[in-house]
Amino acid sequence: MAKVLITGAAGFLGSHLCDRFIANGDEVLAMDNLITGNMENLEHLSGHPKFTFYHHDVSTFVHVPGKLDYILHFASPASPIDYLKIPIQTLKVSSLGTHNLLGLALNKGARILVASTSEVYGDPLVHPQTEDYWGNVNPVGPRGVYDEAKRFMEAMTMAYHTYHGLETRIARIFNTYGPRMRLNDGRVLPAFIGQALRGEDLTIFGDGSQTRSFCYVDDLVEGIYRLLMSDYAQPVNIGNPHEITISDFAQEIIKLTGTRQKVVYKELPVNDPMQRQPDISKAKEVLDWEPKVMRAEGLERTYAWFKNLPEGRLYRKEHRDFEDYKRN
Ligand code: UDP
């Protein structure tokens, strides 16, 4: 039985990872400052004898009692709207936060996996993206606070690996979807599904010709788990290579939800990547992993979850705590 610290545990991916390790019979220490995370994602684990929650910001010194086998660093805002609202905290969690957790890993003799992102490739000039592509990132654009912090995270993690011999893993996560995504955080899937459920038009940013490749959360969790258990310290893309334009994606959501609303076009956000598709040859080779859930099935499961939310949550603002937090 392993003891695992998961940061960002109350978030979309973090909470699914908690479920995975609890199902294994492992002991889970879940940590979150609840700025973009939500305790509703962990409610079902509360009271479980192998589950402990720490309300803590990993950008400040991190301590947990006793031994530790694994750390998974998944704390970070993860949507362009969040980066704009809390840019400094976005920078801090992947830089200072990563440094704190690497120090903790060293101190405990734990293996650490950090959640990096396809955003390290920026608006990519190479397609699909392989791990050896260095990216096309604007450091001072609105996404710079996220992209550069994640790039720093990778550099710091690799330095701990080479200098200290720490066991480190770097996952480059591409767009992922599934139950527990935040409804109103601006990401395209919850945006479209939320709009359909509220009877609003679906907002396409730009002309909708930009592409993304969406991975169902169960596949992602399996990929992360395999990477953690592997002996591979270089970055690995984890995502679904099935690419689709945002226009076609909107049509899929219209069909799925049966909404009678139409699409409306809004301005494309600054530095919005035009195309994105992971090359997952490395994950196939090193982890014997590839996604199994087709988008039609994943979307069905995700929509079923969103449909069952209490109606109040459809209209809830998700940024209620940001004003207070900005002073930290
Ligand atoms: N997008 C959109 N309508 C929305 C929200 C997002 O057309 O209501 C677009 C967005 O401009 C981007 C794509 O969908 O091109 C994916 O956006 P998301 O924020 O989900 O992820 P990211 O841009 O970080 O991949």
Side-chain angles (χ1 to χ4, degrees):
M1 192 198 82
K3 193 165 156 190
V4 189
L5 171 66
I6 300 174
T7 75
F12 163 49
L13 296 182
S15 65
H16 283 282
L17 286 164
C18 288
D19 287 344
R20 172 62 189 256
F21 286 94
I22 288 287
N24 272 358
D26 295 324
E27 185 178 346
V28 171
L29 308 181
M31 194 171 276
D32 205 297
N33 66 359
L34 299 180
I35 293 307
T36 56
N38 186 342
M39 283 308 279
E40 281 156 328
N41 291 336
L42 294 174
E43 246 164 31
H44 59 289
L45 295 177
S46 112
H48 191 288
K50 290 186 173 168
F51 181 80
T52 313
F53 180 76
Y54 294 89
H55 186 188
H56 181 70
D57 182 346
V58 298
S59 300
T60 63
F61 185 81
V62 183
H63 171 76
V64 293
K67 72 149 195 168
L68 203 54
D69 300 297
Y70 303 113
I71 299 174
L72 292 100
H73 183 23
F74 276 69
S76 173
S79 92
I81 287 191
D82 292 343
Y83 319 149
L84 285 175
K85 295 203 179 218
I86 43 172
I88 315 275
Q89 290 75 16
T90 302
L91 276 160
K92 281 165 76 176
V93 71
S94 290
S95 54
L96 307 183
T98 300
H99 190 205
N100 289 334
L101 292 162
L102 287 164
L104 180 68
L106 198 59
N107 180 246
K108 299 278 188 185
R111 180 182 299 177
I112 181 169
L113 182 149
V114 295
S116 186
T117 166
S118 55
E119 286 283 324
V120 300
Y121 303 123
D123 192 357
L125 305 176
V126 163
H127 194 74
Q129 293 78 55
T130 47
E131 288 86 350
D132 53 14
Y133 175 52
W134 294 347
N136 176 36
V137 170
N138 176 4
V140 294
R143 287 171 183 252
V145 295
Y146 183 68
D147 301 6
E148 294 295 0
K150 290 291 190 182
R151 290 168 69 96
F152 175 90
M153 166 195 260
E154 289 197 10
M156 191 69 154
T157 301
M158 199 45 78
Y160 266 68
H161 177 68
T162 50
Y163 183 74
H164 288 302
L166 185 70
E167 287 222 47
T168 57
R169 308 286 179 265
I170 299 173
R172 290 190 181 148
I173 299 173
F174 284 66
N175 295 67
T176 303
Y177 70 98
R180 301 186 197 152
M181 289 187 95
R182 256 161 71 217
L183 243 186
N184 300 314
D185 75 349
R187 305 218 73 115
V188 67
L189 180 136
F192 285 172
I193 289 186
Q195 286 159 347
L197 288 172
R198 289 188 299 263
E200 297 165 8
D201 291 337
L202 274 60
T203 52
I204 291 182
F205 297 164
D207 64 4
S209 64
Q210 72 271 37
T211 68
R212 292 296 185 271
S213 311
F214 297 98
C215 183
Y216 189 65
V217 64
D218 289 1
D219 283 332
L220 191 281
V221 166
E222 179 62 25
I224 296 293
Y225 190 82
R226 287 188 188 210
L227 177 59
L228 179 68
M229 295 307 160
S230 78
D231 58 6
Y232 193 74
Q234 296 297 317
V236 180
N237 289 340
I238 309 278
N240 189 321
H242 224 108
E243 188 179 358
I244 184 174
T245 65
I246 294 301
S247 277
D248 288 347
F249 190 59
Q251 291 309 319
E252 285 191 359
I253 300 289
I254 286 173
K255 211 167 138 212
L256 173 77
T257 58
T259 177
R260 289 159 178 272
Q261 305 297 317
K262 54 185 191 319
V263 299
V264 291
Y265 293 88
K266 299 248 159 123
E267 205 176 323
L268 189 69
V270 177
N271 297 147
D272 197 282
M274 267 317 289
Q275 50 181 7
R276 187 182 285 153
Q277 186 201 119
D279 181 316
I280 60 165
S281 315
K282 186 68 75 188
K284 280 186 184 159
E285 175 199 325
V286 180
L287 312 177
D288 190 24
W289 173 88
E290 64 182 316
K292 299 247 179 313
V293 182
M294 302 296 288
R295 199 167 52 241
E297 188 192 338
L299 286 179
E300 285 285 353
R301 289 195 217 165
T302 307
Y303 181 50
W305 183 83
F306 276 111
K307 237 182 355 191
N308 276 333
L309 286 176
E311 198 173 336
R313 271 187 76 175
L314 281 181
Y315 295 93
R316 188 167 75 186
K317 281 206 169 52
E318 299 282 353
H319 301 291
R320 61 203 179 284
D321 296 318
F322 280 14
E323 285 311 314
D324 287 343
Y325 189 63
K326 273 185 191 162
R327 284 183 226 115
N328 290 345

